[in-house]
Amino acid sequence: MESPQTTTRNAFLRTAPGNAFSKTDTTPYVELDFAKASPDEISQTLGLSMSEAKKLQPWLRRYDASKALKPTGLKRATAELLSRHIAFRALPKFIVTNVTAEPTYLLSNRTFTLLIHFLNQGEPPVEFLSINVAWAGEPFTVQQVIQPGEQRKGQVAVAFDSTRTLPVGLAEFTVDLFRGDGSQASFVKSFYVLPANPLSLQVAPAGATVTGTWSVRGAFQPATNTFLTECLVTVANGDAVPVTMKRRVNWSFWDGPVGSGTLVESGGFDLGSAPVVPAFSTWQASFWFSSPAGSGIHNKYKAKEDLAIEIRMESAAGRVVSGQITARVMLAYGVNIIKVGDFGAQEHNDLYTAVDQMRQIYERRDITLRGVQRYIINNAQAGGFTVLDSETEFRNLLSGWSVQNDFVDVYVCQAFNWSTFNGYAGDIPGPTSKTGNKDGIAVDKTGFTDASGVRRLNTAVLSQLIGHEVGHYLGLQHLEDTNNLMRSNTGVRGPNLDYNQYRTMLPHGYMVFI
């Protein structure tokens, strides 16, 4: 009997030029020349329909700031928009008006210059700028002092030399200008760095369960017992002429490296039409792979194994481009947050801020929370459990107040008065049954009183403390690597979890697919 096979579907998303890639970038500021503006310029600058722009054009050409003339025949919304625009024109401005590049498009591993255009109509001079660069690697920052000539010109050139070139892919530049009086002007500009070779294919994560490492998700679909893998495919053209691609897309999933590992499943499909990638632009589409029970991909995902995906396409001229990415399932566990003793309102808020920060720590390593249940054992009920004095008391708390579900019980106590401990786990790994005195963890709430006399919790410490003890419950031992979550000393602990720790936690019975 033939094994079930993975099926596919796809959807074209868009083409976009490399120098105007992101829809969320800051809109360049353009001040209309009222006397010369065309209806198209009016429409684009003010966001009006063409019919409204045509009505407005004659009035703008007669506009005189010294006379209180009002346009007639316009929609109320248009008149209000125009009023705000004119009022803004009259204000002294300190803004970044645009960010452009030389050359116009960024090419992989090539030097470039960003041109920062600004308007400073106040007396304090613009003193320096800072550009934060977010790309596939570690973000970095470039800073530069503004010279007098640049002040007068309203433009600063920032050179990115051979030590700051970028690979193919999205790069986001956040530009901040700072004036002598402390004022700040900001602008966000994204480029898709195009291949210098000049054609490439990149596979990227997509979907709602993308977190942590640069990898796509095999999302479990319980209703159909399938895993759905979604990825974003970008074909980038760094040439001055359009490139037509063939309709055929070939794909393969591998256990181990592409080509040298074990082939799990492979196939191909035809796009609805031959993609055309415009000059210095990108073509994007989403691809989905639905893997039913019994298929090779489903079997590997069910065993919580990582896979590698390769997508291959070919241009009409015969050039083959391909991209690869890791694929893994998204796993989650739940926590019962049990407050032991009474908490103030701000302490309550701080506690759940810490829980959210703990979730983010685990999501960096592709594990998330499936749920957070909230409970309280008030002072009258808790008795001596509000302050834990010994392991015996800790275990009595666990056996007496266990929550009967498949989440990790997290007891947040008022304090620990027990040797040097500020947290403790029932076992390593903890059990998946709630019948004994090992099924849970407890932590000190890390309370303090701030300068205003408000009772607070130290969220930075508490988030890592809860994460550390939960890590024990999921099977992790102490590890003294720098900035690791499982360092034994709270004072030098960090948020990091490595790949081996990730693999260690996966078999725990509280880990479920999402």
Side-chain angles (χ1 to χ4, degrees):
M1 182 178 176
E2 189 174 335
S3 299
Q5 299 294 308
T6 291
T7 58
T8 64
R9 59 187 176 94
N10 64 87
F12 165 72
L13 298 177
R14 63 171 183 150
T15 59
N19 65 344
F21 185 77
S22 177
K23 297 178 181 179
T24 59
D25 283 353
T26 305
T27 302
Y29 175 75
V30 178
E31 193 161 279
L32 276 176
D33 183 341
F34 283 179
K36 299 179 180 178
S38 68
D40 186 59
E41 290 171 329
I42 297 169
S43 173
Q44 290 186 24
T45 302
L46 299 182
L48 297 175
S49 67
M50 187 59 70
S51 62
E52 284 292 282
K54 288 178 179 178
K55 291 179 186 177
L56 187 58
Q57 185 188 33
W59 183 87
L60 289 177
R61 289 186 172 178
R62 298 192 305 271
Y63 174 74
D64 185 343
S66 64
K67 299 178 181 179
L69 298 176
K70 292 185 177 181
T72 58
L74 297 177
K75 294 179 180 178
R76 180 177 177 180
T78 302
E80 291 175 350
L81 177 66
L82 178 62
S83 176
R84 290 195 299 270
H85 180 80
I86 291 173
F88 182 73
R89 286 167 67 101
L91 295 174
K93 287 177 278 296
F94 172 43
I95 56 175
V96 180
T97 58
N98 202 2
V99 174
T100 58
E102 289 183 351
T104 306
Y105 302 94
L106 306 191
L107 297 180
S108 59
N109 305 312
R110 300 283 180 86
T111 60
F112 62 94
T113 299
L114 285 188
L115 301 178
I116 315 303
H117 310 267
F118 64 93
L119 190 62
N120 180 28
Q121 296 174 330
E123 289 187 9
V126 184
E127 295 190 347
F128 75 98
L129 66 78
S130 176
I131 303 177
N132 184 71
V133 185
W135 59 295
E138 286 295 319
F140 63 91
T141 300
V142 177
Q143 295 183 331
Q144 187 167 307
V145 175
I146 309 297
Q147 302 301 321
E150 296 168 329
Q151 295 269 6
R152 292 189 294 272
K153 189 177 181 181
Q155 178 180 297
V156 185
V158 182
F160 286 72
D161 60 19
S162 58
T163 65
R164 292 171 175 161
T165 61
L166 297 167
V168 172
L170 180 62
E172 182 182 86
F173 300 85
T174 301
V175 178
D176 294 300
L177 293 185
F178 298 91
R179 212 163 60 173
D181 61 353
S183 299
Q184 178 179 341
S186 300
F187 197 99
V188 177
K189 175 67 176 181
S190 299
F191 291 84
Y192 196 95
V193 181
L194 301 169
N197 60 355
L199 192 67
S200 72
L201 185 151
Q202 184 184 56
V203 187
T209 56
V210 174
T211 60
T213 60
W214 184 259
S215 52
V216 301
R217 293 289 159 268
F220 185 59
Q221 313 295 304
T224 56
N225 190 20
T226 59
F227 283 97
L228 184 65
T229 308
E230 180 184 358
C231 60
L232 174 68
V233 173
T234 303
V235 180
N237 176 19
D239 207 346
V241 295
V243 173
T244 300
M245 306 296 293
K246 294 180 180 179
R247 293 173 56 204
R248 191 66 176 173
V249 176
N250 292 306
W251 58 269
S252 55
F253 282 66
W254 297 76
D255 184 1
V258 171
S260 60
T262 302
L263 180 62
V264 177
E265 281 192 75
S266 63
F269 57 87
D270 290 325
L271 300 171
S273 60
V276 177
V277 191
F280 297 117
S281 295
T282 60
W283 173 93
Q284 287 190 313
S286 284
F287 296 166
W288 291 267
F289 302 88
S290 181
S291 304
S295 65
I297 295 171
H298 188 285
N299 293 342
K300 290 294 182 181
Y301 278 157
K302 197 71 174 178
K304 302 175 182 176
E305 294 291 333
D306 289 353
L307 297 173
I309 303 175
E310 182 182 50
I311 305 293
R312 298 174 69 87
M313 296 179 68
E314 185 178 351
S315 72
R319 178 164 186 177
V320 176
V321 288
S322 64
Q324 302 173 11
I325 196 168
T326 299
R328 58 173 56 110
V329 293
M330 191 75 183
L331 293 165
Y333 64 90
V335 290
N336 299 311
I337 301 298
I338 307 164
K339 296 189 292 188
V340 184
D342 295 336
F343 282 60
Q346 187 58 54
E347 289 180 307
H348 173 89
N349 292 338
D350 288 345
L351 171 59
Y352 287 101
T353 296
V355 172
D356 189 58
Q357 291 172 354
M358 184 270 289
R359 173 187 58 79
Q360 294 175 45
I361 289 172
Y362 276 85
E363 285 186 348
R364 291 173 57 185
R365 190 40 79 181
D366 303 321
I367 294 171
T368 190
L369 293 180
R370 58 188 285 217
V372 177
Q373 301 285 348
R374 303 182 179 195
Y375 301 90
I376 183 169
I377 309 170
N378 61 36
N379 281 340
Q381 296 171 308
F385 289 138
T386 57
V387 178
L388 292 183
D389 297 305
S390 66
E391 182 174 349
T392 299
E393 193 170 29
F394 162 74
R395 298 206 178 276
N396 288 340
L397 172 64
L398 266 56
S399 60
W401 290 94
S402 178
V403 179
Q404 296 304 304
N405 62 13
D406 57 352
F407 285 19
V408 180
D409 291 343
V410 178
Y411 298 88
V412 185
C413 299
Q414 301 297 312
F416 267 55
N417 185 28
W418 164 20
S419 184
T420 59
F421 294 113
N422 60 0
Y424 208 77
D427 208 351
I428 306 175
T432 56
S433 62
K434 299 288 186 78
T435 57
N437 62 1
K438 297 182 178 181
D439 50 337
I441 69 164
V443 296
D444 185 316
K445 74 176 184 180
T446 69
F448 69 97
T449 301
D450 69 13
S452 302
V454 178
R455 290 162 51 197
R456 302 291 305 267
L457 305 184
N458 188 330
T459 57
V461 172
L462 184 57
S463 61
Q464 293 184 9
L465 179 57
I466 296 173
H468 177 93
E469 300 303 337
V470 168
H472 280 319
Y473 200 90
L474 297 176
L476 299 184
Q477 302 286 343
H478 283 148
L479 181 65
E480 300 302 335
D481 289 358
T482 302
N483 287 328
N484 195 274
L485 183 66
M486 298 312 295
R487 294 198 73 168
S488 55
N489 188 330
T490 302
V492 295
R493 191 173 292 153
N496 296 346
L497 290 166
D498 66 28
Y499 182 74
N500 288 332
Q501 290 174 308
Y502 162 76
R503 297 296 307 175
T504 298
M505 291 185 284
L506 298 190
H508 196 280
Y510 282 173
M511 285 286 194
V512 301
F513 297 108
I514 61 169

